[in-house]
Amino acid sequence: MINNEMSISPSIPPSNCPNMAVNIGGIRMKNPVTVASGTFGYGEDYSEYVDLNELGAVTVKGIRMEPTPGNDTPRMVEVYGGLVNAIGLQGPGVDGFIQNYMPFLRKFDVPVIVNIWGKTLEEYGEVAAAFDGVDGVDGLELNISCPNVKEGGIAFGTDPSMAAKVIALARSKTKLPLIPKLSPNVTNVAQFAKIAEDEGADAVSLINTLPAMVIDIETRRPVLSNVIGGLSGPGIKPVAIKQVWEASQAVSIPIIGMGGIRNAQDAVEFIIAGATAVAVGTANFTDPTASIDVINGIEQYLIEHDIDDVHDLIGSVVV
Ligand SMILES: Cc1cc2nc3c(=O)[nH]c(=O)nc-3n(C[C@H](O)[C@H](O)[C@H](O)COP(=O)(O)O)c2cc1C
């Protein structure tokens, strides 16, 4: 039984601490835990609860060229096993993000992964180019899988030739580590992971939310103004585990696994399935310190199982 509430015993000398550091396509993370884009803002709001220096990386909410208002409310609804959101990728745009949020993030000793998207193929290229060489930005997560915007997003991530084009374009525009974020809304996620690897991606992340809909039975109207949203939270974890496992069979680039992680046991399951790192998402809303508990709990698991290096756990599933 793993107890992710337990902290590491201070009596254990540092030399007994297992190696937690991982490298995600050139991004050196001190431990394998980041936060999922869109569930941790731009870091500042959560810094009241979490010492950002303790995270393996901070992944920020999606950014496109221009400021974006997002969808009308209601745009989030709780359901059994998670929540359905249709925020619509609200954001300050590239310039707004660099001016207003990067100065804060630069104060920390933590890699920053910027999640990017565009309404058109060309815009994906422009945003990738705009971040190339920006001080403090360590990697780009390419969101080709958002189900709740009318343009861009999932349209790129569910068509193999579009996915190849957008990844190749972004690759040509930046030297930063590039991490396409794959859609779970495909029959063969391994195919898309392979496309990403072939087009020069340094890692892949998965899964994004699953397209979903909620209806108010009194009004018979959809609860979300956008009608359709994306399901996240504990209910999607088995889907995510399966897809991470399938993707890991197809590629040799590292995988950031996410989808319903609430505690260290969930995170360890992703790592055993084949993820080199994990991201804590919806759990941040109910427990803003969930990511730190996950870090401590993974370390505890390694100690309790006499594992010296987290790499010995990656992809160790016995099938
Ligand atoms: C409110 C909300 C906003 C999100 N915004 C983004 C986003 O801007 N870009 C993105 O790639 N994924 C976004 N996601 C998807 C998450 O990063 C993650 O892939 C997904 O929620 C699954 O993980 P979870 O079940 O742990 O939340 C968002 C998810 C939620 C719940």
Side-chain angles (χ1 to χ4, degrees), residues 119-165:
K119 290 194 171 183
T120 60
L121 179 68
E122 293 70 30
E123 188 180 355
Y124 273 95
E126 281 173 53
V127 184
F131 278 112
D132 199 38
V134 172
D135 181 30
V137 174
D138 297 283
L140 298 179
E141 183 177 52
L142 194 68
N143 180 5
I144 54 171
S145 45
C146 181
N148 54 48
V149 285
K150 291 189 175 57
E151 302 150 285
I154 207 164
F156 289 95
T158 51
D159 176 325
S161 69
M162 289 291 280
K165 270 191 203 145

Side-chain angles (χ1 to χ4, degrees), residues 36-38 61-62 85 89 115 143 181 207-208 232-233 258-260 281-282:
S37 174
K61 181 153 180 58
N85 94 83
L89 297 176
N115 180 284
N143 180 5
K181 182 161 177 180
I207 62 174
N208 208 319
S232 63
M258 70 194 86
T282 298

Side-chain angles (χ1 to χ4, degrees), residues 25-272:
I27 305 169
R28 295 151 75 91
M29 294 172 55
K30 55 177 87 76
N31 61 63
V33 181
T34 183
V35 285
S37 174
T39 67
F40 204 76
Y42 306 101
E44 196 159 353
D45 296 347
Y46 275 80
S47 63
E48 204 181 308
Y49 308 99
V50 171
D51 177 1
L52 302 189
N53 294 310
E54 289 188 32
L55 294 173
V58 172
T59 307
V60 301
K61 181 153 180 58
I63 308 281
R64 64 179 283 263
M65 280 316 284
E66 303 300 327
T68 307
N71 294 324
D72 292 338
T73 55
R75 46 189 200 173
M76 197 132 61
V77 54
E78 210 172 322
V79 294
Y80 186 73
L83 62 88
V84 180
N85 94 83
I87 303 291
L89 297 176
Q90 181 180 342
V94 170
D95 291 343
F97 171 71
I98 293 172
Q99 278 161 29
N100 300 324
Y101 297 98
M102 274 313 296
F104 178 79
L105 288 167
R106 283 188 198 112
K107 293 182 196 160
F108 297 89
D109 175 27
V110 64
V112 173
I113 300 174
V114 178
N115 180 284
I116 63 169
W117 69 288
K119 290 194 171 183
T120 60
L121 179 68
E122 293 70 30
E123 188 180 355
Y124 273 95
E126 281 173 53
V127 184
F131 278 112
D132 199 38
V134 172
D135 181 30
V137 174
D138 297 283
L140 298 179
E141 183 177 52
L142 194 68
N143 180 5
I144 54 171
S145 45
C146 181
N148 54 48
V149 285
K150 291 189 175 57
E151 302 150 285
I154 207 164
F156 289 95
T158 51
D159 176 325
S161 69
M162 289 291 280
K165 270 191 203 145
V166 70
I167 296 166
L169 178 65
R171 174 71 296 163
S172 72
K173 301 286 183 186
T174 182
K175 288 188 250 348
L176 284 169
L178 186 66
I179 311 167
K181 182 161 177 180
L182 306 181
S183 173
N185 198 34
V186 295
T187 45
N188 184 0
V189 78
Q191 177 191 11
F192 286 84
K194 188 79 181 81
I195 287 169
E197 183 173 54
D198 290 347
E199 297 302 337
D202 300 286
V204 287
S205 62
L206 66 155
I207 62 174
N208 208 319
T209 55
L210 290 150
M213 180 174 178
V214 181
I215 297 170
D216 180 328
I217 60 168
E218 296 306 327
T219 61
R220 303 189 192 179
R221 297 174 72 87
V223 172
L224 297 174
S225 70
N226 190 56
V227 181
I228 303 291
L231 175 65
S232 63
I236 73 170
K237 194 190 73 177
V239 177
I241 293 285
K242 171 189 176 274
Q243 296 211 345
V244 164
W245 176 66
E246 286 175 343
S248 74
Q249 306 295 298
V251 295
S252 52
I253 52 176
I255 293 172
I256 304 177
M258 70 194 86
I261 295 176
R262 277 178 306 171
N263 53 36
Q265 291 94 323
D266 294 336
V268 165
E269 192 179 343
F270 272 89
I271 296 170
I272 292 173

